[in-house]
């Protein structure tokens, strides 16, 4: 198919938390083939920026979103309070959804207000604003397994239209049984990318995207590719592999069928 008009930006920071990949530094060595991948449960840092009451209520979805986004902004050396955000997830808070279903199936069907507000798809964005004091624009979206690519497109549009930085925070977490049978995500995973309109001292690479009908890029390591397929937010791993290897090239990411998203990377 003919290429659509390009969107482009500079990547100034990366955050990653995934099974066996606890941070971007570790992931760089694994994705570049310097260290072997060893699967392990995701370690979700406590959301220290939240007040105690909100910290106690923060679910795994909130914790993975905050941790991956804050890691990316720390890598970029930016204050999260002043940077626009795009939150993108294929699902919502599975554990909270399970608890709501249990309540509705019980004799006492009164739903806790806290349970209800934590069931909203933009709950992580709300906790983000509480934690960081951010007043910048924020979007929350969902496109099932295409959510990483959809979020990347939205963040690039925000950068292009505002001429200001924007942080993409793509994340997912598991559902408990019996919902896990219908949506079998094994663990939490998140990718944060700080995108800027111009090259800066911390820029890692320039990226540009266009819609494509090419096959999606798979990772050569079968364990890493299984991880890419298991957690929708990690559909962005082929892009991170190019960043980790500091290699110019393209990666084709899953988008809304029959389309895919081709991302071209030019390292600094």
């Amino acid at each position: 198919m003919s290429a659509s008009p390009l969107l482009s930006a500079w990547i100034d920071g990366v955050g990653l938390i995934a099974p066996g990949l606890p941070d971007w530094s570790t992931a760089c060595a694994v994705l570049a083939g310097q260290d072997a991948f060893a699967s392990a449960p995701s370690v979700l840092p406590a959301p220290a920026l939240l007040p105690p009451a909100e910290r106690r209520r923060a679910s795994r979805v909130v914790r993975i979103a905050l941790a991956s986004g804050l890691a990316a902004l720390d890598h970029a050396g930016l204050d999260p309070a002043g940077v626009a955000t795009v939150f993108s997830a294929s699902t919502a808070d599975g554990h909270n959804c399970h608890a709501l279903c249990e309540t509705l199936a019980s004799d006492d069907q009164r739903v806790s207000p806290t349970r209800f507000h934590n069931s909203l798809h933009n709950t992580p964005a709300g906790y983000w604003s509480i934690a960081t004091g951010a007043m910048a624009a924020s979007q929350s979206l969902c496109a099932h397994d295409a959510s990483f690519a959809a979020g990347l497109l939205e963040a690039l549009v925000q950068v292009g239209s505002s001429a200001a930085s924007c942080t993409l925070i793509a994340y997912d977490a598991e559902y408990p049984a019996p919902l896990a049978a219908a949506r079998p995500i094994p663990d939490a995973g998140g990718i944060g990318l700080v995108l800027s309109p111009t090259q800066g001292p911390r820029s890692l690479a320039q990226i540009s995207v266009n819609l494509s009908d090419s096959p999606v890029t798979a990772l050569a390591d079968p364990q890493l590719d299984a991880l890419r397929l298991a957690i929708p937010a990690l559909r962005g791993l082929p892009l991170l592999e190019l960043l980790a290897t500091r290699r110019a090239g393209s990666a084709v990411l899953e988008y809304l069928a029959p389309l895919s998203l081709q991302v071209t990377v030019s390292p600094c």
Side-chain angles (χ1 to χ4, degrees), residues 110-126:
R110 292 174 295 179
V111 171
S112 153
T114 299
R115 283 282 181 208
F116 174 74
H117 83 241
N118 279 321
S119 72
L120 304 179
H121 193 68
N122 65 350
T123 293

Side-chain angles (χ1 to χ4, degrees), residues 100-227:
L100 286 170
C101 289
E102 283 189 322
T103 298
L104 294 174
S106 70
D107 294 333
D108 183 359
Q109 297 181 343
R110 292 174 295 179
V111 171
S112 153
T114 299
R115 283 282 181 208
F116 174 74
H117 83 241
N118 279 321
S119 72
L120 304 179
H121 193 68
N122 65 350
T123 293
Y127 278 96
W128 178 270
S129 67
I130 294 170
T132 66
M135 299 293 287
S138 181
Q139 304 284 339
S140 295
L141 57 86
C142 174
H144 201 244
D145 287 346
S147 292
F148 179 86
L152 181 59
L153 279 173
E154 176 64 24
L156 288 167
V157 169
Q158 294 294 328
V159 171
S161 61
S162 67
S165 298
C166 181
T167 303
L168 167 64
I169 304 172
Y171 56 94
D172 281 297
E174 72 286 347
Y175 279 97
L179 295 172
R183 188 62 171 155
I185 298 173
D187 203 343
I191 294 174
L193 294 176
V194 178
L195 305 172
S196 297
T198 57
Q199 184 177 3
R202 298 205 186 198
S203 295
L204 304 174
Q206 185 179 33
I207 64 167
S208 57
V209 304
N210 61 273
L211 296 177
S212 172
D213 55 7
S214 299
V216 170
T217 301
L219 297 170
D221 185 316
Q223 291 188 89
L224 289 173
D225 202 54
L227 189 62

Side-chain angles (χ1 to χ4, degrees), residues 46 91 97 130-132 162 217 242-243 251 256:
T91 57
C97 180
I130 294 170
T132 66
S162 67
T217 301
L242 289 174
L243 296 176
L256 300 172

Side-chain angles (χ1 to χ4, degrees), residues 22-142:
D23 51 46
W24 174 234
S25 177
T26 302
C28 268
V30 172
L31 291 170
Q34 298 166 358
D35 291 340
F37 173 70
S39 184
S42 291
V43 178
L44 307 185
L49 292 182
L50 286 173
E54 282 73 20
R55 195 181 311 148
R56 288 192 299 272
R57 296 173 185 144
S59 66
R60 286 175 58 79
V61 162
V62 169
R63 290 168 66 188
I64 188 66
L66 266 61
S68 51
L70 289 170
L73 283 155
D74 181 65
H75 190 202
L78 293 178
D79 181 355
V83 182
T85 50
V86 172
F87 290 83
S88 186
S90 76
T91 57
D93 184 341
H95 292 275
N96 193 63
C97 180
H98 175 81
L100 286 170
C101 289
E102 283 189 322
T103 298
L104 294 174
S106 70
D107 294 333
D108 183 359
Q109 297 181 343
R110 292 174 295 179
V111 171
S112 153
T114 299
R115 283 282 181 208
F116 174 74
H117 83 241
N118 279 321
S119 72
L120 304 179
H121 193 68
N122 65 350
T123 293
Y127 278 96
W128 178 270
S129 67
I130 294 170
T132 66
M135 299 293 287
S138 181
Q139 304 284 339
S140 295
L141 57 86
C142 174

